[in-house]
Amino acid sequence: MAATYFSGLLLGFSLILAIGAQNAFVLKQGLLRQYVFWVCLVCALSDAILICLGVFGFASLLSQQVWLIQAMKYFGAIFLFFYGLRSFYNAYKANNGLVASEQPTTTLVQTLILCLSFSWLNPHVYLDTVVLLGSISAQYMDKVAFASGAVSASFIFFFGLGFGARLLRPIFANPKAWKILDVVIGIVMWMIALSLLR
């Protein structure tokens, strides 16, 4: 059981560590110290639901719904394009670094809607959590232990990223560093959007 749990944990970490739209959003919220707990919780719970769906049999059903994957690709690409555009605009407009950004520009509800969009509108998330983890889990007898390991990886990663971001705050007090972060986030969003349309 422990070996299966750690297999799920390590695989979960390997899939989640890549820089993506969701991770960039969590990092930025962590730097701003805005709704960090709720953002981390929503991301981790979303991953947990998708992992469980994959491990316990939803992968085969999802793979048959080609139209759903296609629709999610286009919605996801449009969402990421506009969020990337917003990041570029913020980089152009802002001149005061992290200190000026500390006043919340969105409400908790708006932030959580954004967070849910990053979690559920990106087909890559479904391919990683539902399809890939689901198919790999088939080789394990103890699916609960495997799923628990992968879910643990999501909780550890998102809460570590969100609350660990404060260690980088001195760097992002510099207006140039904050501009660079916004530009990098914009580039990441547009690259993912383009990859969805290919």
Side-chain angles (χ1 to χ4, degrees):
M1 179 178 170
T4 304
Y5 173 86
F6 282 109
S7 295
L9 183 74
L10 292 174
L11 186 59
F13 273 127
S14 69
L15 292 175
I16 205 170
L17 284 174
I19 295 174
Q22 191 182 40
N23 296 353
F25 180 72
V26 173
L27 174 64
K28 191 165 184 180
Q29 292 302 123
L31 286 168
L32 293 170
R33 293 183 183 172
Q34 292 175 10
Y35 316 120
V36 181
F37 173 81
W38 295 108
V39 165
C40 295
L41 183 64
V42 166
C43 288
L45 285 176
S46 295
D47 260 18
I49 292 167
L50 291 168
I51 288 166
C52 289
L53 287 174
V55 171
F56 298 109
F58 189 69
S60 58
L61 180 63
L62 183 65
S63 63
Q64 295 169 12
Q65 305 300 322
V66 179
W67 68 270
L68 182 59
I69 297 288
Q70 288 296 110
M72 286 175 3
K73 280 172 68 170
Y74 292 116
F75 279 120
I78 291 167
F79 169 75
L80 292 171
F81 174 78
F82 281 107
Y83 193 85
L85 192 62
R86 178 180 143 176
S87 292
F88 288 126
Y89 177 75
N90 289 342
Y92 171 75
K93 184 181 173 188
N95 291 307
N96 298 314
L98 186 59
V99 177
S101 303
E102 286 182 342
Q103 292 300 319
T105 55
T106 57
T107 65
L108 175 60
V109 172
Q110 290 170 328
T111 301
L112 293 183
I113 289 170
L114 272 175
C115 187
L116 286 167
S117 299
F118 283 120
S119 300
W120 293 89
L121 285 181
N122 184 354
H124 288 309
V125 173
Y126 291 86
L127 293 174
D128 285 348
T129 56
V130 178
V131 178
L132 185 59
L133 276 172
S135 58
I136 291 173
S137 72
Q139 64 187 296
Y140 294 96
M141 292 294 292
D142 192 346
K143 292 189 184 303
V144 173
F146 182 84
S148 298
V151 167
S152 297
S154 291
F155 273 86
I156 293 167
F157 176 80
F158 284 120
F159 279 92
L161 179 63
F163 286 99
R166 64 187 60 196
L167 300 174
L168 299 173
R169 283 176 63 87
I171 296 169
F172 288 97
N174 182 333
K176 287 183 181 176
W178 195 250
K179 280 179 177 285
I180 290 169
L181 177 67
D182 272 327
V183 168
V184 169
I185 289 174
I187 291 170
V188 167
M189 300 299 169
W190 279 12
M191 285 176 65
I192 296 171
L194 285 172
S195 74
L196 292 178
L197 295 173
R198 285 180 188 160

